[in-house]
Amino acid sequence: MEPINFVDLKKQYSAIESDVNESLSAILKSGQFILGPVVEEAEEALSKYTNAKHTISVSSGTDALFVSLLALGIGPGSKVFIPAFTYTATAEVIALLGAEPAFVDVDEDTYNISCESLITKINQYPKSELSNSAIIAVDLFGLPADYNTICDIAMNSGLYLISDAAQSFGGSIGSQKVGKLSPITTTSFYPTKPLSCYGDGGAVFTDDDEIAMKIKSIRSHGITDNPYENVRIGTNARFDAIQAAVILSKLKIFDEELSRRESTSSIYNQELKNIVETPITTNQVKSAWAHYTIRTRDRDGLREFLTKNSIPTMIYYPKGMHEQTAYQKYHNGDPLIVSEKLCSEVLSLPLHPYMSENQVYYVSGKVKEFIG
Ligand SMILES: Cc1ncc(COP(=O)(O)O)c(C=O)c1O
């Protein structure tokens, strides 16, 4: 059996090598590297895929969040409700804008923001303090959050809603794909993400014409049509043509890759469901399976055992955001019990579209061997 990689970008490259090489060579010859026709083509393809009216590509998933918050006018005085169990970027952009991240516990089954805890947290603030505030829901490990409920909560509380779909591009709820589940959706094309490029990249999806126009302007220093007319404060969050070409190539095989991720996860679920806590699956909510994450009490022992057996694993995430040194000051001491429990129990197993069945059975066999 071949060695098992946590993700395998080399195998994926072999599958698209000639297509991607041809496009990259055309870009090198064109001399147009930042924004331009290939970036526009990728944006159109992404809008077609998600059915979102606007796709604004940007330089990373972090910037996608940053420009979205900036476009909404989030800043000093704003509160932004986020799950405590997430990647740093979700909290970081809020703090950078001078707003306050408000940490909410997550749901024990989905690992996504708990709607009950969200309502409790929102109710801690007088309405007058939430006049320019927002919720960022995160689709952890690829599973879309409960947007049917979260959209209602946002509307009833007068809060903006952003979906941080850095890990869930390709996921869906019913017939609606990620990109259409929330008024604003951000994603990341970081190399290990389900749809990824060969560097940093990201995108914002929205049906809102005004927000789209503002984000387009903000990603290019707040300009409109005239490059030397700055109508608002912006930044440099532009996407580049080389990364756009990679996205176009990978989109061609993306659905096939998603179904391979799904098959691998199904084997893991089947093999491990009575052994450890396995990820929740429903017919209605489809995960993009960015990561296959199990939970077990002796997580560290299991990890050591798997490492000894040449099986790479990752801990996403070892600490809640409220426990991180830089963010402790935003935490008011509310219990975040589920988030903290998950941090001590979660373990992500290797999962990528190029794993063989043998490899998947080998990994699950080793997990069983240890737990059994
Ligand atoms: C949940 C989440 N949000 C945001 C980001 C940031 O994306 P990027 O690394 O492209 O800036 C990531 C990346 O890992 C993420 O997992």
Side-chain angles (χ1 to χ4, degrees):
M1 194 176 60
E2 279 186 61
I4 298 173
N5 296 311
F6 192 73
V7 294
D8 197 334
L9 295 170
K10 290 183 191 163
K11 278 231 170 75
Q12 188 197 44
Y13 176 57
S14 309
I16 52 169
E17 188 170 355
S18 55
D19 192 55
V20 96
N21 287 1
E22 209 176 290
S23 322
L24 295 191
S25 158
I27 289 164
L28 295 178
K29 284 178 191 149
S30 78
Q32 166 88 51
F33 299 116
I34 307 284
L35 298 178
V38 184
V39 169
E40 280 165 27
E41 200 189 322
E43 288 177 338
E44 272 164 33
L46 290 163
S47 280
K48 196 165 163 215
Y49 188 86
T50 55
N51 210 20
K53 187 170 177 195
H54 303 280
T55 298
I56 308 102
S57 58
V58 289
S59 41
S60 69
T62 306
D63 283 331
L65 287 166
F66 185 71
V67 296
S68 299
L69 290 174
L70 204 51
L72 292 173
I74 297 296
S78 306
K79 315 278 179 294
V80 184
F81 299 89
I82 59 166
F85 188 56
T86 184
Y87 181 62
T88 320
T90 321
E92 183 177 73
V93 287
I94 302 164
L96 281 173
L97 285 167
E100 189 187 310
F103 301 115
V104 178
D105 211 356
V106 294
D107 180 90
E108 191 154 3
D109 294 326
T110 63
Y111 310 164
N112 285 329
I113 198 161
S114 149
C115 293
E116 220 178 8
S117 306
L118 178 60
I119 293 170
T120 308
K121 188 77 191 172
I122 292 170
N123 288 339
Q124 284 180 1
Y125 296 89
K127 238 190 151 84
S128 57
E129 280 188 30
L130 298 181
S131 57
N132 196 37
S133 295
I135 301 167
I136 303 181
V138 180
D139 303 344
L140 211 67
F141 306 139
L143 185 75
D146 179 5
Y147 288 104
N148 294 334
T149 313
I150 299 169
C151 285
D152 284 348
I153 297 174
M155 194 129 65
N156 295 337
S157 321
L159 297 167
Y160 298 119
L161 174 59
I162 296 176
S163 158
D164 179 350
Q167 303 181 11
S168 65
F169 186 86
S172 54
I173 300 182
S175 59
Q176 301 275 77
K177 286 212 168 89
V178 162
K180 279 296 264 192
L181 302 176
S182 162
I184 300 177
T185 302
T186 64
T187 198
S188 164
F189 301 134
Y190 184 78
T192 57
K193 297 291 190 264
L195 180 67
S196 66
C197 54
Y198 292 153
D200 276 309
V204 183
F205 306 98
T206 185
D207 286 351
D208 186 317
D209 297 339
E210 194 178 332
I211 287 289
M213 176 276 290
K214 282 188 181 163
I215 290 176
K216 256 189 163 167
S217 165
I218 288 168
R219 82 169 165 187
S220 290
H221 300 295
I223 59 170
T224 48
D225 291 337
N226 178 348
Y228 297 103
E229 189 71 34
N230 307 103
V231 296
R232 56 180 60 78
I233 292 174
T235 181
N236 172 7
R238 297 172 304 225
F239 198 43
D240 70 75
I242 287 182
Q243 305 311 334
V246 175
I247 292 296
L248 283 166
S249 283
K250 290 200 189 181
L251 261 180
K252 293 179 194 162
I253 54 164
F254 186 57
D255 279 341
E256 170 63 26
E257 288 194 340
L258 279 180
S259 70
R260 290 193 202 179
R261 285 178 186 274
E262 175 82 34
S263 310
T264 297
S265 307
S266 301
I267 300 176
Y268 274 146
N269 275 344
Q270 193 58 38
E271 292 297 300
L272 299 175
K273 66 179 181 230
N274 299 320
I275 311 287
V276 290
E277 297 291 330
T278 52
I280 194 165
T281 53
T282 65
N283 287 336
Q284 183 70 0
V285 186
K286 293 265 175 239
S287 176
W289 293 111
H291 299 297
Y292 186 88
T293 305
I294 57 169
R295 272 169 58 203
T296 184
R297 289 230 177 105
D298 189 7
R299 184 267 313 275
D300 295 335
L302 173 62
R303 187 171 201 213
E304 204 181 312
F305 178 76
L306 294 178
T307 307
K308 275 194 194 128
N309 284 283
S310 308
I311 298 171
T313 56
M314 296 293 283
I315 297 174
Y316 302 122
Y317 298 95
K319 268 186 182 181
M321 284 312 303
H322 61 294
E323 297 174 292
Q324 294 284 358
T325 309
Y327 297 93
Q328 280 167 3
K329 65 178 174 191
Y330 297 109
H331 181 41
N332 66 356
D334 279 357
L336 293 162
I337 296 164
V338 180
S339 301
E340 287 173 18
K341 184 172 164 195
L342 293 181
C343 290
S344 66
E345 294 186 351
V346 286
L347 188 66
S348 299
L349 302 179
L351 169 69
H352 60 78
Y354 302 91
M355 271 181 94
S356 68
E357 280 198 5
N358 272 351
Q359 290 178 318
V360 186
Y361 282 110
Y362 175 77
V363 175
S364 31
K366 287 294 169 195
V367 173
K368 285 188 204 168
E369 191 181 321
F370 179 79
I371 305 282

